[in-house]
Each structure stands twice: as structure tokens, then as C-alpha cells.
Amino acid sequence: MTSPGDAAPVKPPPSFSPGVPRVASKTRYPDQHESSTSLDSELVESRIGSSPTPPLSATTTTPSDLPIRSASPYARSLRSSTPQLARSSLGSPLEGRFDGSDDTRSLIIRSFSPVVGVYASADTDELVRQKGFQGGFWELIRPFGEDIPGKIVIRDSVGASRGWEDYGVRFVDLGGQNNRGAEVGKTGQESPLAQVEEVLERQLDSAGDPLSGTLHPKDFLGFSGASSLYKQFLRQLLSSSSATPHETFRHPVASVIAISSRNTAPLETLRQLYADTSSGDKRLPEWINAEYLRYYVLVHDEDQDDITESTKLYDQMKRHFGLHCHLLRLRSTQCVVTDDDSVQVPKCEWLSPSEHLLGVGQTEPLVDLDTDGLPYLFDSDVMSIKTFVRELVAQSVIPYMENRVAVWNDQVASRRRGISGRFMSMSRRWAGFGSSSRSSITGAGSGASGNYDSVRGFYKPDVPEAVLRKMADFAFMLRDWKLSASTYELLRSDYGNDKAWRYHAGVHEMNAISMLLNPLSMSAKTKLEGIDQMLETACYSYLTRCSDAPNALRCLCLAVELLKSRGGSATESAARWAMRVMDLNLVGSVGQVLFTERISACYASRTVSSGGRWGSRRRKAGMWSVFAADLWLKLGKPTLASTCLEEAERLYAEVLDSDGVFPMPDLQTFVDNLRNAVKVGYLEARGVGTAYDTAISDPLVTEETSEKLDKRNHRKSLMGLPAPVDAGGLSPAQVTDNGTPPNDDFERA
């Protein structure tokens, strides 16, 4: 911790080059000749009732425009998400551009970013409010922390440096947390999962009809990668978690303490702000370690104050509080769109579901222009904030985290891994030696170590079990997944012996995730039973012992995406875990459709080394795509159902030898009726007609609809003429664990 009066050498900032990851859109497949869909055999006549749910739009922060050389001497060629991953020590595995599962992998990694608290004086917040940011200094800098421009160089536990172009931090408001909590409570949502569901429903409803021109169905459905709707669901799920005792990802790594040049007693104010966060009314809960980095900022008013006086004050700050200081020069005048040097503030990508429901970040335009309501800043202000955030992260936060990991690894983890540490662990477990003397007083002696307080449900932050968990989380946020996995492994037995079940579930979850993120943790031939067992243990502990559905869903979602990115047999394991999400009813109606699509995507990504049909899972992928079409239709989204049918047609065309005709009459009847229902639903949504006769009798309507729904030159399209028979629905619940209906006649492919 850097307290007033401390000073520490600062690591020089690495150079950087601008770059922003690109989200790849779904590629439209080439035309297929004589293609049609086919379902698996012996389908049962039952449909699943569903209710709608929707997505959010992805946002990207603005990159830096400074032409500075790259800090990393290495470069890494891009690889597909399906093949084996290359060694990550040669550079960032995610640097440059992304597509497919690589983009989803980056989304997962960026969700576990360091948290930096913000606590500003009243005069600083007042200065920022004059610029149009009613949330004060925190609201001003928050969007700029999510994507640091250029490369951030991080050293791992063995001293190897890696450059990352997609690094960021999360700014949280330490001064107004209680008020924001009260506002969140007004939404009436008790469960974070219910909030995620409602946000998705609003997004899906606001998208309107994709065929109207503003949004294409392919923006929602992405079978080769991930749809924008699914990525928004994943982003919302990962943003919904708050600070908890069992993991430290949402605990502050550092805090920014800010004053302005208007302050009449600057040094005394800084000391008071420090005292508030250390032992005052802004102190964090007792299960959060108060020993975190303090970073002091002086905000200079360019329009009214003298820069000479501010510079003198800044020098005083560095003498009193050390080198973790910054002089931020901002204009106090409010910027509007008509200004020549106006720059729009980027959207916040990591808004929580409750913030979305409250409309956080959706402000009214200052003037009646074609804008989306986001505020504007002067270009000089934007460059100053970007420089401040980069200096904070590259010169203070990252070196601080690297130092703490090295110290904890040397003083705590190394002893725990040694023979004496193992002996003491066995002694505590079997004989009760070495237990804390305070356990008999606090009532925490029921565990094996005596450090777990079973009454209040947490370890104090200074005990070895809590320090090791924090070290593992720091290593994970520094993307040293080998060290994090080994540290999580150390804690699994300790938490189990202490019956600290939420801690126990958390280390199993993060141990599995660390191993899946580490390109060198498993070879292609290594079986995944160990990973599956850890995921099973985590899911069981979360749901059965802790009744923690949000963390269970997070665990399974991360497992699905990272297993899918591994390729090979891991894709089938990913599909099984996605089915588990649906079986446990962890998601709502739209979530059910999204996971149905993800199961199809998992099977479709199953590749065979020979490149032939045998061993692929195209038929299973097509079947789940038809399931998704049926569920979208029940939610009143015929256009999205049409896109699923097109995808199913493409998948089945690769494995069927017949001319677009199913070998089972019941299957053919079901698909024909599904086509008909999609077509009629589309016509009703467009207001063209509401009767079945209209769909088959009006040649103009039929021609227009066919052109919009399927522009490809199939001899027998899924959007062909409907069949007159109602065959009933198809239920994913009647599919076996390996993803096929009973008595599947096509398992050979």
C-alpha cells in the first residue's frame, strides 16, 4: 500500500502502438446446390414453451492516435480458434484482430480486469459536472479504462514479458457506492439472472424487424463464431457479478484519489480522502484487504486556473505522497457537438444489467442533432485522459500487481508447496496442530485450519488461505494462467477440508478456466476428464451447497466457450455443458434459444483431421439449428427462425446424399410445417397477410417473401411452399446426453 509520505520508484512506461480488436461479422456461406435440411430419426412430437429474451450492442473504445513504436519485440500470427493454440509467451495470443471464438475468448479474458476505485473531492466532482458529467470524476474517466490504447507489457512469474493490446481496467466509484446501490434496488429485480434476461428482452425488442434494413439476422445468429446477441448475453452475465468474499476479482487493486486546482487546502484534503478509504466511512468491508495502491491526481482547470501554481502543487504532492501521482489538465467548459475539436466519449462496454435497466449512460443530446446522446469532450481533454489512464495502468497498477504476486509467491506459496508446508497442512487436518488460537473465541474452529469463520462465511484477508486466493486472482488478471492454475490447485483441498463451499467451488471453477486459457496446459491428445471433474464439482457446490445460480451459470458459460475454442473432442464436451445449462433451467426463454444455437455451433465446429465427412457432427449441428428455429418461432421472431433454418439447410447439405428429402416421412412433415409456420409468421409480422391462403395464393407476396427470406439458388429451399399438415413440435429435452435423438440412424456421420 502506498500511504501518504511513501515514495517508490516507478517503472518507465512501455511504448505503444494504437490498435483495437476487430469483431468479425458472420460470413455468409457460398451457395449450396441441391441442398435441404434433414433432422435426425424418430423425433418425438412435443414442443418447448418459451418466453422471449434479448441482447445488447457491443461497443469499442477509441484507440490512441499517437504514432509510437511497439513495446514488444515479438509478433504472433493469428490462428483460428479451432486448431491448437500456440505458445503465448511469444506475444499476446489475442493481439491484432479477432474472429470467431478468439473474439469470445478475448471477451472472457477482458471481463477479469483489475478494479480501480475512484474517490474524488467535492470540488473535483463539481468541476467535472460543469462539463456535463453528472456522475462526477468517476463517470468522466470510466469509459477510457476499458480499453487501454497500445500494448501493455506484463512480466510473468518466470520473468518473461508479454505484450497485450486488449488490456483494460474497471473504474468503480468508491464515493457513491451506497447511493448507487439504493438506485439499483429500485429496479425491483431480485436476481441478477432475471436482470440479464430483462436486458436481453429489451435489446431484442428494440432491434425491431431485422429485415427492415437496420439489422441483419446474421447479426443475431453466428453459428461459425458467436452471435452479437449471445456475446451481449455473455457480457451482461460477466458484468453482473459484484464484490464477494470468496474471490477478489472485484476487490480494488488500486484507488485514484483526486482533487482539483480549485481546492483551498489540497494536501490536507488528500490526507482526509486517504483516511476515508482506509479507516473512515468509505472503508470497504472487512473481508476486503485495505492494503491496496493509492494513486493521487491533481485535476487542473485549464480555463480558469494558473498552470504555474498547479505545477508547484503537483511537485509538493510528489514529495509528500511519492511518485504515484499525476497532473491531469482539463478544460472546465462544456463541449458540444458543434465545436471544431469535439470528440464523442466512447460507450461503456461493461455496464451491469442493473445499470442498463436504469438507463445509465443514456443521456439526452445537448442539441437537436443526429447523435446517440453520448456526451462530447474537447480533443485535448480526451488525449489528457488517455495519457493519464495509460500511465496509471502501465507505470503503477501493473508493476504493483507484479510485485505483490512475486512477494506472495516467495513468502506464502513457496512454503505451502514445500515439504514443511505439506506437513503442517496434514497436521492441521488430522491432529489440529497449528490452528489459530483465536478460533476458540470466534467460533471458527470447526474447519481444519481454524482460519475459516463459518458463522460469517469468509476468511480474514490476512490469513494464508485468503492471501493465496488473492495471489491466484492477481496472476489470472495478469494473464499468467500457469501460475494461477497451480495456486488454485493448492487451495482446493484446504477449502474442502474447511468446508468453505463457496471458496471450494470458486477455486475449482477458476482452476479449470486457467487450464483452458493456458495454451500449454494440455496437449491435443490429453483427455478432458480432469477439466470435466473440476467443472462438475464447481457446479455442484455452487448450486447444491450455496444456492448460487449466477456463479454456476458463469462457470458453465465460460467452460462452453473455452472448450469450444480448443477444437477437436473438446467441442463435444462443450456441447454437453451447454445442454447442462438448459437442463438446470439457469437461463430464461431467450437464453434457451441462445444455448440451443451454441450447441449447434459446437457440433458444427467439430473438425476431422482427414477433412472428410466421417467423424464430423454436421448432422447433430443441423438438428440443433432446427431446434433453435422452432424456439425462435415460438418467441415471435420468424426472421431469426428463417436464418436458423438456412443454417440447418447448409449443415444437412454436407452430409445427406438425398435430394433434399428426408428418409423418414414424419421428419419431412415436421420440417415442411416449420417452413410454413416461419413463412406465415413472417407475413403476419410484415402485415402482408394473416391467413394461410394468402401465403400460398398471392404470387406477388410469395415472390417478395421468397426473395427476402432466401436469395440463394437452391433447387429445394427451406423457404419453399408449405405443407398443409401440422406435425407438432420438436423438443430439445428429448435429446440424449450425446446430442442425438433416440435410435439415431445417422450416428455414423
Side-chain angles (χ1 to χ4, degrees):
M1 176 183 68
T2 302
S3 58
D6 292 343
V10 179
K11 180 181 176 182
S15 311
F16 64 94
S17 57
V20 174
R22 175 179 64 86
V23 178
S25 59
K26 181 180 183 295
T27 304
R28 189 174 181 85
Y29 292 95
D31 295 346
Q32 301 284 347
H33 65 283
E34 302 180 5
S35 62
S36 79
T37 50
S38 88
L39 288 174
D40 292 27
S41 62
E42 297 188 11
L43 301 174
V44 186
E45 299 180 0
S46 67
R47 293 177 179 261
I48 294 184
S50 315
S51 64
T53 354
L56 300 176
S57 57
T59 56
T60 309
T61 53
T62 307
S64 172
D65 299 327
L66 298 177
I68 304 179
R69 65 179 180 85
S70 172
S72 174
Y74 303 106
R76 181 180 181 273
S77 59
L78 294 175
R79 291 175 177 263
S80 171
S81 60
T82 300
Q84 273 189 289
L85 300 174
R87 179 175 175 82
S88 62
S89 61
L90 300 180
S92 168
L94 302 173
E95 62 185 347
R97 299 178 177 179
F98 313 100
D99 33 66
S101 296
D102 278 345
D103 182 57
T104 307
R105 187 174 184 268
S106 172
L107 179 69
I108 293 172
I109 294 174
R110 289 186 293 115
S111 68
F112 294 95
S113 298
V115 168
V116 178
V118 178
Y119 189 32
S121 62
D123 53 278
T124 306
D125 286 336
E126 180 61 29
L127 186 152
V128 174
R129 290 191 186 98
Q130 292 180 8
K131 300 176 66 63
F133 296 84
Q134 297 305 313
F137 186 68
W138 166 72
E139 182 183 344
L140 173 67
I141 67 174
R142 181 186 185 185
F144 297 95
E146 295 179 349
D147 188 9
I148 309 297
K151 288 186 178 180
I152 296 294
V153 179
I154 303 174
R155 293 195 313 268
D156 61 15
S157 57
V158 297
S161 297
R162 310 178 187 182
W164 300 89
E165 289 187 349
D166 62 338
Y167 205 82
V169 295
R170 304 272 192 91
F171 288 116
V172 298
D173 185 16
L174 296 182
Q177 282 183 333
N178 295 332
N179 294 334
R180 295 189 60 80
E183 291 178 355
V184 171
K186 295 177 183 178
T187 62
Q189 297 288 349
E190 297 181 357
S191 170
L193 299 185
Q195 293 178 346
V196 173
E197 186 78 5
E198 184 176 349
V199 169
L200 293 177
E201 289 175 356
R202 291 187 182 183
Q203 180 67 22
L204 191 59
D205 293 339
S206 65
D209 184 5
L211 290 183
S212 62
T214 59
L215 211 56
H216 196 275
K218 299 295 183 181
D219 294 332
F220 281 106
L221 305 172
F223 291 92
S224 61
S227 67
S228 61
L229 179 57
Y230 179 79
K231 285 189 287 188
Q232 187 56 48
F233 160 77
L234 190 59
R235 185 181 293 108
Q236 285 295 287
L237 178 64
L238 296 175
S239 301
S240 63
S241 59
S242 58
T244 57
H246 78 280
E247 63 182 18
T248 65
F249 293 115
R250 297 295 178 261
H251 297 191
V253 172
S255 68
V256 173
I257 298 177
I259 62 169
S260 74
S261 55
R262 300 176 179 179
N263 197 289
T264 57
L267 298 182
E268 291 75 9
T269 302
L270 286 174
R271 291 190 179 95
Q272 182 59 47
L273 295 176
Y274 170 83
D276 290 344
T277 59
S278 178
S279 58
D281 56 353
K282 302 301 179 183
R283 188 177 185 275
L284 298 172
E286 60 179 314
W287 37 265
I288 295 181
N289 196 331
E291 302 293 319
Y292 52 85
L293 177 71
R294 264 68 171 191
Y295 194 88
Y296 302 92
V297 176
L298 172 61
V299 180
H300 169 70
D301 185 352
E302 290 278 82
D303 293 329
Q304 299 182 13
D305 294 332
D306 184 6
I307 184 61
T308 304
E309 296 298 325
S310 295
T311 303
K312 293 180 180 178
L313 175 58
Y314 177 61
D315 292 337
Q316 283 184 301
M317 289 173 53
K318 289 191 292 185
R319 287 195 299 269
H320 283 79
F321 306 120
L323 298 180
H324 295 291
C325 300
H326 187 85
L327 175 61
L328 178 61
R329 303 173 64 172
L330 299 176
R331 297 183 59 181
S332 58
T333 307
Q334 185 171 0
C335 179
V336 294
V337 187
T338 54
D339 292 331
D340 294 335
D341 58 346
S342 62
V343 177
Q344 193 173 34
V345 175
K347 291 182 179 179
C348 287
E349 180 182 5
W350 298 101
L351 291 176
S352 67
S354 58
E355 289 177 317
H356 274 289
L357 297 178
L358 290 169
V360 173
Q362 301 175 5
T363 59
E364 294 296 330
L366 299 177
V367 293
D368 189 12
L369 296 176
D370 186 17
T371 65
D372 54 5
L374 290 173
Y376 281 75
L377 285 173
F378 296 105
D379 182 65
S380 59
D381 291 345
V382 171
M383 296 305 298
S384 297
I385 296 173
K386 286 183 177 180
T387 303
F388 153 64
V389 172
R390 178 171 178 82
E391 182 177 317
L392 165 68
V393 175
Q395 297 187 21
S396 295
V397 172
I398 296 300
Y400 170 77
M401 296 177 67
E402 292 172 346
N403 176 266
R404 299 316 301 163
V405 168
V407 170
W408 291 332
N409 192 23
D410 180 63
Q411 295 181 356
V412 183
S414 61
R415 297 178 182 179
R416 178 67 174 78
R417 294 188 182 101
I419 297 178
S420 60
R422 295 180 182 180
F423 175 75
M424 290 301 298
S425 177
M426 294 177 60
S427 300
R428 288 195 303 265
R429 187 183 313 174
W430 301 111
F433 299 146
S435 61
S436 176
S437 60
R438 62 184 176 224
S439 61
S440 59
I441 301 176
T442 61
S446 58
S449 69
N451 290 326
Y452 179 65
D453 189 339
S454 59
V455 177
R456 293 185 291 179
F458 62 84
Y459 291 94
K460 290 190 176 181
D462 58 341
V463 302
E465 292 83 358
V467 171
L468 286 176
R469 174 65 206 236
K470 187 163 187 143
M471 169 189 159
D473 291 347
F474 270 35
F476 191 96
M477 291 186 286
L478 292 173
R479 304 181 183 184
D480 188 356
W481 294 301
K482 181 178 180 181
L483 177 61
S484 65
S486 63
T487 310
Y488 290 130
E489 181 71 28
L490 280 177
L491 292 169
R492 289 167 57 186
S493 59
D494 290 349
Y495 291 154
N497 295 329
D498 287 347
K499 295 181 174 56
W501 298 124
R502 199 179 300 271
Y503 287 85
H504 184 255
V507 293
H508 278 82
E509 174 194 5
M510 298 313 300
N511 192 8
I513 300 305
S514 297
M515 294 181 65
L516 290 173
L517 283 172
N518 186 4
L520 300 180
S521 62
M522 298 183 301
S523 64
K525 298 181 180 180
T526 303
K527 294 185 179 180
L528 301 173
E529 282 84 356
I531 296 291
D532 289 339
Q533 183 59 46
M534 284 187 283
L535 295 174
E536 184 71 41
T537 302
C539 186
Y540 175 80
S541 293
Y542 275 138
L543 289 176
T544 306
R545 291 164 169 162
C546 306
S547 300
D548 190 348
N551 275 323
L553 178 59
R554 183 189 73 172
C555 173
L556 296 181
C557 287
L558 297 181
V560 168
E561 295 308 314
L562 296 178
L563 285 168
K564 179 180 179 294
S565 69
R566 283 277 171 175
S569 60
T571 57
E572 296 194 55
S573 180
R576 288 195 296 271
W577 287 113
M579 295 178 201
R580 177 72 66 86
V581 172
M582 301 174 66
D583 293 340
L584 294 173
N585 293 321
L586 295 177
V587 291
S589 55
V590 172
Q592 291 278 336
V593 188
L594 294 178
F595 274 94
T596 303
E597 292 175 358
R598 294 312 286 162
I599 295 172
S600 176
C602 290
Y603 284 128
S605 64
R606 177 75 159 93
T607 58
V608 184
S609 57
S610 61
R613 289 169 46 185
W614 296 97
S616 67
R617 297 295 182 265
R618 297 291 183 179
R619 184 171 288 103
K620 290 181 180 180
M623 177 192 68
W624 284 95
S625 182
V626 174
F627 285 158
D630 188 42
L631 293 176
W632 276 127
L633 190 60
K634 291 179 178 179
L635 294 180
K637 302 297 178 183
T639 305
L640 301 180
S642 168
T643 308
C644 288
L645 284 176
E646 289 184 7
E647 183 70 15
E649 180 181 35
R650 183 191 67 82
L651 292 167
Y652 275 121
E654 298 181 12
V655 294
L656 286 184
D657 297 327
S658 59
D659 185 19
V661 178
F662 293 100
M664 290 76 67
D666 290 342
L667 287 172
Q668 186 66 54
T669 302
F670 169 78
V671 174
D672 289 341
N673 279 278
L674 187 57
R675 296 175 193 156
N676 173 57
V678 169
K679 186 174 183 179
V680 173
Y682 170 78
L683 293 173
E684 292 180 351
R686 302 286 290 185
V688 177
T690 57
Y692 171 80
D693 295 337
T694 304
I696 62 176
S697 62
D698 190 339
L700 295 179
V701 171
T702 303
E703 180 180 355
E704 177 189 0
T705 305
S706 299
E707 181 180 357
K708 283 184 175 289
L709 292 180
D710 193 355
K711 297 182 180 180
R712 299 181 296 176
N713 298 321
H714 299 301
R715 185 163 69 185
K716 183 176 180 61
S717 173
L718 283 174
M719 295 296 102
L721 290 177
V725 182
D726 185 6
L730 189 61
S731 172
Q734 295 163 333
V735 179
T736 59
D737 290 338
N738 63 356
T740 60
N743 302 323
D744 183 8
D745 296 334
F746 303 116
E747 182 62 27
R748 297 191 309 274

